[in-house]
Amino acid sequence: MAQPVIEARDLNLVFQTGDGPVQALKDVNLTIGQGDFVSFIGPSGCGKTTFLRCIAALEHPTSGVLKVNGMSPDEARRRRAYGYVFQAAGLYPWRTIAGNIRLPLEIMGFSRDEQEERVKNVLQLVDLDGFGKKFPWQLSGGMQQRASIARALAFDADILLMDEPFGALDEIVRDRLNEELLKLWARTGKTIGFVTHSIPEAVYLSTKIVVMSPRPGRISDVIESPLPRERPLEIRDSKEFIEIAHRVRDGLRAGHGDAM
Amino acid sequence: MRSILPVLTVIAAICGIWYLAAVRMNATWVYDQAAREGREVMLVDLVAETLTQERPVLPAPHQVVKGLWDGVAGQKITSKRSLVYHGWVTLSATLLGFAMGSVAGILLAVGIVYNRAMDLSVMPWAIASQTIPILAIAPMIIVVLNSLGVTGILPKAIISAYLSFFPVVVGMVKGLRSPDAMQLDLLRTYSATGAQTFGKLRLPSSMPYLFASLKVGVAASLVGTIVGELPTGAVAGLGSRLLSGSYYGQTVQIWAALFAAAAVAAGLVGLIGWIERATLKRMGMVR
Ligand SMILES: Nc1ncnc2c1ncn2[C@@H]1O[C@H](COP(=O)(O)OP(=O)(O)O)[C@@H](O)[C@H]1O
Ligand SMILES: [Mg+2]
């Protein structure tokens, strides 16, 4: 088997807070392969964001081993292993859309020509041709989030980490962006880590669904999706889809004791 | 056009109250004068005489306007009695002091944001510096600097800077700290250096805060300069006009100088507002 893109072994993370220690991650074991689309689903506070931030080296595990492309997360970040998409688009209001996408390229020292070239390409990839000269406030929420995805794609990281990227958008826009995200994934072959708390979204998008439960944050089930990679929206009415959704729901309920 | 009517109404109301107050406050002198001459004072005389005195307690608006007009247009601008001349003396010290204060304020703010020791130590001193009455220490600053051979525009500018650095520090610290955790994390995912984080995120984010505090700072600067002109028996500047006016009971001169100072302040604040709009527009932050 090829080298896993992300590998976590017995990962623990304890935050020291004013009210005492909080175990955000407990004994997390997970392997993510090249080209996987992995969703993390669970109630809030179960450590989804924390796990994603560990991969991005924004947070450091208290114990256990975490490898990204076979390296430590810090090393992987220096090698531009991933692009990160936050829940809010977080575009700089004083930069145009193109200027925002250029931000990581400027920081990473790409040449002027290369910057222009890449901005043009990713704008096309997220279907925002011709919006480069606009300022963020001139775009809808969905378009802003697409621009932030373009920004994460601009420097050719082969992992895309997304923390509830469509959480603030309405359902119709969300459906469209999900469809586009799948197309983008098929075209680019990236490995995607995607946090959500929508069951249909997780099932629709993923090749692997990681169900998590809180207090302490841990993985309660990992589901390999039998759905084909090619997924029209109508697949959500199929028998397989509904079966997986059931299993996810069961996993969530089990993780929550019988409180739900 | 529709906004001009309320403005005019307010101005008219203020003038009305002012005239009434002028009649009331200057009446004592008129009655004393009349008593000495043994004549009765009719209401018409009262109004006429209270509004045309040479050294009224409270000059009437038209007297102040005339004083201003004489000061600005009635003299050669090099004349010692020209408000343009005195205004320029004050303005130049204000601009120098404001520039020094703003640069000092910005540098201090950067230090406070990036250096923990400065964060803990500078702010209390900055606040303490502003609680000392400027009137109390201005003479000391001037005397000390004079004895060191520093004279002319610089001592005034230093007092002016002393008043204007504070709002700039406060606003700039807030502005440099305004990016939220997510925006800072985004730059961390690019492994951005401290200098890149400063230049690409913190500095641009701080611009609206900077301009807001520059407007406060420039007005404080002007006050500082005028205060700096008072204790030295300065021969030039709006402050010296205030001082000599009060020596000789020239209330019209005092009020004319006050209005000239207010006009300079309004002009400076307006100028910064204009630069602010132009800058933020270029940055795409104005819709
Ligand atoms: N920086 C932090 N300091 C202290 N506690 C934190 C911090 N970040 C997250 N936590 C805690 O860790 C737990 C997991 O949080 P998080 O990963 O954000 O959950 P999720 O994204 O699944 O909603 C929560 O109990 C949260 O309060
Ligand atoms: Mg979260």
Side-chain angles (χ1 to χ4, degrees):
Chain A
M1 190 181 142
Q3 183 196 40
V5 173
I6 291 160
E7 189 170 27
R9 290 283 156 260
D10 301 321
L11 210 64
N12 284 281
L13 192 149
V14 180
F15 285 113
Q16 300 300 336
T17 70
D19 311 329
V22 173
Q23 180 130 31
L25 294 174
K26 183 173 164 56
D27 300 332
V28 168
N29 286 288
L30 187 68
T31 305
I32 298 177
Q34 170 66 41
D36 280 353
F37 195 129
V38 183
S39 283
F40 298 87
I41 187 166
S44 64
C46 68
K48 308 179 294 290
T49 297
T50 305
F51 185 61
L52 221 59
R53 288 172 64 85
C54 285
I55 300 172
L58 292 172
E59 226 58 89
H60 291 91
T62 333
S63 71
V65 181
L66 180 60
K67 294 260 177 246
V68 178
N69 289 336
M71 296 172 263
S72 75
D74 287 287
E75 178 66 20
R77 175 164 85 196
R78 277 193 290 279
R79 305 259 185 106
R80 300 173 197 161
Y82 68 86
Y84 203 108
V85 178
F86 294 84
Q87 173 160 14
L91 301 170
Y92 290 1
W94 58 86
R95 283 174 174 249
T96 59
I97 296 302
N100 270 286
I101 297 172
R102 221 182 289 121
L103 176 72
L105 304 175
E106 289 170 8
I107 288 172
M108 294 171 182
F110 286 85
S111 75
R112 271 289 155 122
D113 293 344
E114 175 113 39
Q115 288 178 20
E116 291 316 314
E117 178 76 23
R118 280 168 181 266
V119 168
K120 217 179 101 218
N121 289 342
V122 289
L123 275 175
Q124 224 154 40
L125 206 56
V126 299
D127 215 8
L128 280 178
D129 290 301
F131 286 94
K133 291 211 171 71
K134 295 260 192 270
F135 280 100
W137 58 269
Q138 294 171 301
L139 269 59
S140 68
M143 289 163 100
Q144 289 188 23
Q145 197 52 284
R146 287 214 297 256
S148 93
I149 294 173
R151 180 177 61 187
L153 292 171
F155 48 94
D156 271 347
D158 42 38
I159 307 171
L160 195 55
L161 301 174
M162 308 174 90
D163 191 354
E164 300 190 38
F166 309 140
L169 304 174
D170 66 64
E171 188 134 354
I172 298 165
V173 176
R174 198 171 168 143
D175 275 353
R176 256 209 43 225
L177 290 181
N178 280 337
E179 229 181 333
E180 285 178 13
L181 183 59
L182 274 186
K183 284 202 197 110
L184 194 144
W185 171 63
R187 235 179 312 163
T188 57
K190 306 230 182 251
T191 308
I192 299 184
F194 187 95
V195 171
T196 177
H197 41 223
S198 151
I199 296 175
E201 190 171 67
V203 179
Y204 176 63
L205 292 172
S206 324
T207 56
K208 191 195 280 257
I209 302 162
V210 178
V211 183
M212 298 181 73
S213 54
R215 280 177 298 272
R218 62 197 184 280
I219 294 179
S220 51
D221 196 6
V222 177
I223 304 165
E224 301 283 346
S225 172
L227 297 178
R229 287 196 158 219
E230 191 77 26
R231 300 174 186 184
L233 272 177
E234 301 78 62
I235 205 170
R236 294 184 297 184
D237 301 323
S238 72
K239 201 164 139 276
E240 290 97 330
F241 189 97
I242 291 165
E243 272 168 12
I244 305 165
H246 262 289
R247 195 174 148 193
V248 174
R249 194 167 293 119
D250 286 343
L252 288 171
R253 196 170 296 150
H256 226 266
D258 38 18
M260 270 169 90
Chain B
M1 263 342 245
R2 288 180 62 187
S3 64
I4 210 142
L5 200 64
V7 173
L8 286 179
T9 315
V10 170
I11 291 177
I14 290 175
C15 282
I17 294 170
W18 190 345
Y19 271 112
L20 288 177
V23 171
R24 175 81 184 73
M25 293 174 76
N26 302 333
T28 322
W29 186 83
V30 174
Y31 283 124
D32 287 352
Q33 204 68 5
R36 214 167 297 154
E37 294 165 13
R39 64 176 165 96
E40 289 281 297
V41 183
M42 300 284 116
L43 185 63
V44 189
D45 302 331
L46 180 70
V47 170
E49 287 176 38
T50 48
L51 299 184
T52 53
Q53 292 168 13
E54 191 150 328
R55 292 175 186 180
V57 178
L58 177 65
H62 67 269
Q63 291 178 294
V64 175
V65 169
K66 181 162 181 305
L68 263 176
W69 179 254
D70 284 347
V72 173
Q75 328 273 339
K76 271 219 284 249
I77 59 167
T78 50
S79 154
K80 287 268 147 37
R81 300 180 54 193
S82 164
L83 278 176
V84 177
Y85 165 74
H86 292 289
W88 166 248
V89 169
T90 300
L91 179 65
S92 54
T94 300
L95 290 176
L96 179 63
F98 176 57
M100 297 190 323
S102 304
V103 170
I106 291 170
L107 292 180
L108 276 175
V110 173
I112 287 171
V113 170
Y114 276 93
N115 183 307
R116 208 176 138 62
M118 279 186 79
D119 183 19
L120 295 176
S121 60
V122 172
M123 229 11 161
W125 284 105
I127 293 168
S129 78
Q130 302 301 301
T131 61
I132 300 168
I134 185 69
L135 271 172
I137 60 162
M140 292 195 288
I141 294 178
I142 302 241
V143 169
V144 168
L145 287 176
N146 273 345
S147 72
L148 293 175
V150 183
T151 53
I153 190 176
L154 204 54
K156 286 195 284 179
I158 286 172
I159 294 169
S160 156
Y162 181 91
L163 283 194
S164 64
F165 89 93
F166 185 67
V168 178
V169 173
V170 174
M172 201 61 186
V173 166
K174 196 162 160 64
L176 290 174
R177 288 200 172 134
S178 65
D180 59 28
M182 195 206 83
Q183 289 180 306
L184 291 167
D185 280 343
L186 179 69
L187 289 183
R188 279 175 70 199
T189 69
Y190 305 147
S191 306
T193 63
Q196 288 170 329
T197 306
F198 181 79
K200 294 194 187 295
L201 177 59
R202 288 193 191 273
L203 195 61
S205 309
S206 71
M207 281 304 130
Y209 296 83
L210 175 65
F211 280 110
S213 47
L214 285 181
K215 282 188 210 165
V216 179
V218 80
S221 250
L222 183 68
V223 171
T225 305
I226 291 176
V227 167
E229 286 167 347
L230 291 178
T232 46
V235 288
L238 294 175
S240 80
R241 291 299 279 174
L242 290 175
L243 199 64
S244 69
S246 75
Y247 276 158
Y248 303 112
Q250 296 283 0
T251 45
V252 177
Q253 177 184 325
I254 296 178
W255 280 87
L258 279 178
F259 272 85
V264 172
L268 288 171
V269 173
L271 180 67
I272 290 176
W274 181 77
I275 297 173
E276 173 183 32
R277 271 192 304 282
T279 308
L280 296 188
K281 190 161 188 162
R282 263 195 59 187
M283 288 172 77
M285 287 164 88
V286 179
R287 297 180 181 195

